[in-house]
Amino acid sequence: MNQFTPPQAPSVWRTLFSRKMLICVFTGFTSGLPLYVLISLVPAWLRMEHVSLAAIGALSLTQLPYAWKFLWAPAMDRYQILPLGLRRGWMLLTQGLLLIVIVQFGVLAPGGYPMQTVTLLAACVALFGATQDIALDAYRRELLDDNELGL
């Protein structure tokens, strides 16, 4: 009989349902929600309100903060804005701002307001969503061990 037994790797199921993974699942949902609002909900809502396809297509330019988020990510790594810690402060701030801005979409009707208002709100959702995405990605990287990152 072999006296040496290798250490057992933690069960995949145990890892998947760990506290850290559940945090990542729920923060992943909140990270993807603003982009879903911009890509799917706002264009469909505008089309139902009979906004022209050209205006809806131009509105897709508001998603550029997701492509350019690497420009302000270093500042977020350097400056702590709330006394909750470097990542959690940014996460709380962006969550609050996103809540306010997304609720504003429900308050207005595109037919009653100028398209500039809808565009400004969509740009704010994109900027705050991309900023939240930066903070959540950094938080997940710090939270998870190297062997948990793939899951």
Side-chain angles (χ1 to χ4, degrees), residues 31 34-35 38 63-69 72 125-130 133:
S31 178
L35 193 57
L38 291 176
Q63 298 169 20
L64 282 177
Y66 281 94
W68 294 95
K69 64 185 180 179
W72 66 93
V125 167
L127 181 65
F128 300 148
D133 203 29

Side-chain angles (χ1 to χ4, degrees), residues 70-87:
F70 67 90
L71 294 175
W72 66 93
M76 291 178 63
D77 276 340
R78 181 173 173 98
Y79 299 109
Q80 179 177 333
I81 56 167
L82 295 174
L84 298 172
L86 187 60
R87 310 292 179 220

